Amino acid sequence: MWLGAPGRPRRYAGAAVLVADRLALTADHVVRTAAPADVALETPTGTATVRGVDRDGSLDVALLHLAEAAPATAPTIRVAAPAAGTQWTVTTRPAPGDPRLTGVVTAVDQVIENSRGTTVTVLQLRVDQTLEDYSGYSGSAVRSGTAPQSVVGVLVEQVRSRLRRGDGQPRPASNVLYAVPATVVFDRFDLTAGISHDAALDRVRAFVAGGALDDADRELAGLPAARRGTPEYWYWRARVAAARGNVAVAVGYADRALAADPRHARTIALKIRVRRPPCR
């Protein structure tokens, strides 16, 4: 991804991952200082310009709205919640001579204070390649090492070594990187990659987005009994409760969704989000 006014020299700033024909995810700090028109995203067949950006500075993630459709050949991605010990890879590279990153997920619920001073829960990644600086990889999709179409996180931060250099130079990066879980990012921006659509639940989604929570409750209550034990049903019950500020109720509904499907990615993300520790 390149930053700079059209017609003027541009600089490489970071990576992004296409999640739909006109949507891409990146780290917020990659595009924080740029106007949307000054952001250019390289795709497999050319360069796409950006017409708008939705930001979550506390999580350090951003959703780019592209001015033109990305190639239809862009691979479909799925969201996954990794376990500790999962192999991962980052396929985007800042420059052709830079390596693809690989490593192991060492923690899935690491609580840190990020560079914006916000307390967040992240994936902790051990990286195999010793580069001393991972600038330019920010915003990359962290993919499952065994299933590259499964995205487990968005790379946002490197951890500097605790050792200080005597020459006054910045400390080198360690072999630890942080990523925002993909389940959290997709839930934050209400994205549905790899999730089947349902007309009734799409109406619930629209009601929740518009703040019509009573209408959402009525839509859920009108579902057939056979559909009211599914993970998606309990997920949306949890979403409505969370929107009302009823955290304990939302967590209870999320637990019922996870009892039906322990790997229900959107519910895992919602539970992390509603139970996120407050900022220090």
Side-chain angles (χ1 to χ4, degrees):
M1 187 157 45
W2 300 81
L3 302 183
R8 296 184 179 181
R10 288 178 164 174
R11 62 179 178 85
Y12 182 84
V17 54
L18 291 168
V19 294
D21 62 352
R22 291 178 182 267
L23 296 173
L25 287 170
T26 188
D28 180 56
H29 72 263
V30 171
V31 295
R32 185 178 299 146
T33 62
D38 295 343
V39 180
L41 178 65
E42 290 187 4
T43 71
T45 60
T47 302
T49 56
V50 174
R51 63 176 178 81
V53 181
D54 292 333
R55 293 184 167 90
D56 189 321
S58 61
L59 285 176
D60 194 13
V61 290
L63 180 67
L64 308 179
H65 296 263
L66 306 183
E68 50 273 320
T73 55
T76 300
I77 68 170
R78 298 188 66 85
V79 180
T86 300
Q87 299 285 329
W88 62 267
T89 184
V90 163
T91 58
T92 50
R93 297 178 294 166
D98 289 327
R100 292 185 176 187
L101 303 183
T102 59
V104 175
V105 178
T106 54
V108 298
D109 55 358
Q110 182 72 9
V111 178
I112 67 165
E113 185 175 290
N114 66 15
S115 59
R116 297 297 300 274
T118 303
T119 301
V120 293
T121 301
V122 295
L123 304 178
Q124 180 173 291
L125 312 174
R126 187 183 73 230
V127 60
D128 295 330
Q129 293 73 26
T130 303
L131 302 185
E132 295 195 351
D133 186 7
Y134 297 90
S135 299
Y137 287 97
S138 290
S140 297
V142 180
R143 301 174 183 272
S144 167
T146 57
Q149 289 186 349
S150 292
V151 174
V152 300
V154 175
L155 195 61
V156 293
E157 198 162 326
Q158 59 185 342
V159 179
R160 293 290 177 182
S161 169
R162 297 172 68 90
L163 298 176
R164 296 188 178 276
R165 288 175 167 168
D167 55 6
Q169 295 298 312
R171 289 176 296 166
S174 69
N175 68 336
V176 176
L177 305 176
Y178 291 140
V180 181
T183 50
V184 173
V185 181
F186 274 67
D187 186 70
R188 167 61 182 82
F189 294 117
D190 213 15
L191 300 171
T192 57
I195 300 170
S196 60
H197 288 274
D198 178 282
L201 294 182
D202 281 347
R203 288 192 293 272
V204 173
R205 176 194 305 277
F207 287 141
V208 173
L213 303 181
D214 290 342
D215 290 332
D217 274 332
R218 281 190 286 270
E219 188 72 41
L220 288 167
L223 291 175
R227 308 234 347 250
R228 279 179 280 176
T230 63
E232 281 289 302
Y233 169 80
W234 290 114
Y235 165 78
W236 282 107
R237 290 292 301 271
R239 278 288 299 270
V240 172
R244 295 187 189 276
N246 298 331
V247 174
V249 174
V251 171
Y253 288 150
D255 286 340
R256 298 188 73 166
L258 294 174
D261 179 2
R263 297 186 63 81
H264 194 255
R266 305 179 80 201
T267 301
I268 293 170
L270 177 63
K271 192 171 179 180
I272 292 171
R273 180 160 59 87
V274 300
R275 298 183 70 175
R276 186 186 304 158
C279 299
R280 292 198 291 254

